[in-house]
Amino acid sequence: MFILKCKIIIGKYKMVAATAVKIKRSIYSYVDTASITLPASARLKDNAANVPASVSTSANFKEGDMVEIWLGYDNEADLHLEFSGFVKRVNATMPCVIECEGYSWQLSRKNVHWSTGKTPEKLKSLLSKVVEGTDITLSKDIPDMEVQQISEGDISGTEVLEWLKKNLYLTVCFAGKELYAGLAYLDMKDKGKIKYRVGWNLVKDNELKFRKADDIKLLVKMISFNNRNEAVKAEAGDSNGAIRTIFAQHNTPASELKKMAEKNVKELRYDGYEGKVTGFLEPFALPGYSVVLQDPNYSEREGTYLIESTEVNFGSGGGRRICEIGPKISK
């Protein structure tokens, strides 16, 4: 028998129960969010004094308190860290709702002079200046690419991340305190792998749809940048199809971009699944993980897919993990 367990640490307090917890993360967003619902009055365990005390819940938490949410089954030692970040807002309602934000919270409060000067600079070098003075680390998978001449003046750290998404078409997201910026589909395949089997370890699969390659309308846009930081573009596929934008290395000529676009159209048109599946807290998975989907009734539909987003819900109704299924990585 599996018994739901949680460990929630906010500032100096530790809780082993909550009315409800909701966590949302996505490879398309650098803002991880969580909400924790607690009784208006509770017994909170002070990590320093180790003495439980009955207190007004909202009065003991404040913006900027560090937050960790651990969830799982049976033993505290087996719980997974589902969220780490900071208190963004305390709603003194009944019950008390604590809104939390991931490590983007630190960057939103930091000013950065976003500039390369007159010469290009490596992306990772620029990001190291952005995260300097915070608890944030940089992913080893950030590509070795140059950013051409930019001068945006003093902007916040999160505005820098938004600039990277808007101008360089990069995927920017956090895995806990680790910041990643790069390609969504090429550099995120080895983050972790889980297996879901329809009718076995899924609570709900009615949002999972099967699609045929012949029915897919898709427009792939390939983008590169030259030494003047100007975008060079090429596209392939259906002009009225769903747009998929893919960033290529700097100084890739338009003729090569065209070939890459055509190649990606073929790879992204496939017989396979799309949509969402709902599982339990186990197996543990995060955005960027790959998931092997198995269907005993339709073995020809099986394949490995990228998980684009997750939503975790924990409370009296149980523990659930909703995974949004992205592109097919392999058969």
Side-chain angles (χ1 to χ4, degrees):
M1 181 176 179
F2 296 103
I3 301 174
L4 281 172
K5 296 284 186 180
C6 76
K7 179 177 69 174
I8 301 173
I9 301 172
I10 305 177
K12 66 177 183 178
Y13 293 107
K14 172 184 173 182
M15 290 143 282
V16 293
T19 304
V21 173
K22 177 177 285 188
I23 302 166
K24 291 185 176 182
R25 308 172 72 165
S26 171
I27 64 172
Y28 299 116
S29 175
Y30 51 80
V31 180
D32 299 337
T33 63
S35 65
I36 305 167
T37 303
L38 299 170
S41 178
R43 289 178 66 81
L44 306 178
K45 184 176 181 180
D46 186 323
N47 281 333
N50 204 33
V51 178
S54 294
V55 296
S56 171
T57 309
S58 61
N60 284 271
F61 306 125
K62 63 183 184 301
E63 181 181 353
D65 280 348
M66 294 193 69
V67 179
E68 288 186 1
I69 301 175
W70 299 73
L71 302 176
Y73 299 99
D74 298 333
N75 300 311
E76 185 173 304
D78 297 327
L79 303 184
H80 291 286
L81 179 60
E82 296 278 4
F83 177 87
S84 58
F86 304 87
V87 172
K88 182 179 181 181
R89 184 179 297 109
V90 179
N91 298 316
T93 55
M94 296 183 63
C96 173
V97 179
I98 302 171
E99 298 177 27
C100 309
E101 183 178 330
Y103 278 80
S104 58
W105 184 88
Q106 287 189 324
L107 292 184
S108 67
R109 285 152 179 79
K110 180 182 178 182
N111 288 327
V112 178
H113 186 68
W114 184 233
S115 172
T116 60
K118 295 182 179 180
T119 58
E121 192 168 344
K122 296 290 187 180
L123 173 62
K124 198 164 189 177
S125 174
L126 283 168
L127 286 175
S128 67
K129 299 173 185 176
V130 175
V131 303
E132 186 177 359
T134 71
D135 300 311
I136 298 167
T137 60
L138 298 179
S139 170
K140 62 179 178 59
D141 295 321
I142 293 175
D144 184 32
M145 60 172 282
E146 289 185 338
V147 179
Q148 304 303 318
Q149 295 182 23
I150 53 173
S151 181
E152 294 290 321
D154 292 323
I155 58 178
S156 71
T158 48
E159 286 176 319
V160 169
L161 303 188
E162 195 62 36
W163 189 95
L164 292 173
K165 292 182 64 174
K166 180 180 178 181
N167 293 278
L168 299 187
Y169 302 92
L170 296 181
T171 292
V172 183
C173 59
F174 279 91
K177 65 172 63 176
E178 183 180 90
L179 175 62
Y180 171 79
L183 304 177
Y185 307 115
L186 299 182
D187 298 327
M188 303 188 74
K189 294 179 181 179
D190 300 318
K191 298 295 183 183
K193 180 178 284 189
I194 65 168
K195 183 182 293 184
Y196 279 138
R197 185 178 181 185
V198 176
W200 180 54
N201 62 342
L202 286 175
V203 178
K204 188 169 69 172
D205 57 44
N206 60 339
E207 292 185 79
L208 191 64
K209 309 300 181 184
F210 185 76
R211 66 180 194 175
K212 287 189 170 294
D214 294 341
D215 298 331
I216 297 171
K217 299 295 183 182
L218 180 68
L219 178 65
V220 172
K221 293 185 176 182
M222 296 296 305
I223 300 176
S224 178
F225 289 87
N226 60 25
N227 289 333
R228 295 184 299 276
N229 216 32
E230 297 170 336
V232 181
K233 304 177 182 180
E235 59 185 47
D238 307 294
S239 59
N240 61 340
I243 298 174
R244 181 65 54 79
T245 302
I246 301 176
F247 175 84
Q249 290 294 329
H250 274 65
N251 296 314
T252 302
S255 58
E256 185 64 26
L257 289 175
K258 181 67 174 179
K259 295 177 183 178
M260 294 169 69
E262 293 171 347
K263 179 176 181 291
N264 276 287
V265 167
K266 292 179 181 179
E267 291 180 352
L268 292 171
R269 281 185 179 141
Y270 54 81
D271 293 341
Y273 286 112
E274 63 182 5
K276 297 180 179 181
V277 293
T278 302
F280 300 97
L281 295 181
E282 296 286 352
F284 174 76
L286 297 173
Y289 275 41
S290 58
V291 55
V292 179
L293 286 177
Q294 296 181 328
D295 190 333
N297 297 317
Y298 304 96
S299 59
E300 70 278 6
R301 298 183 178 183
E302 296 180 358
T304 302
Y305 300 80
L306 182 74
I307 297 177
E308 293 186 323
S309 70
T310 58
E311 177 181 321
V312 175
N313 293 286
F314 178 94
S316 58
R320 300 289 185 267
R321 187 184 310 277
I322 303 169
C323 295
E324 184 174 7
I325 304 303
K328 192 174 187 178
I329 298 173
S330 63
K331 294 182 179 181

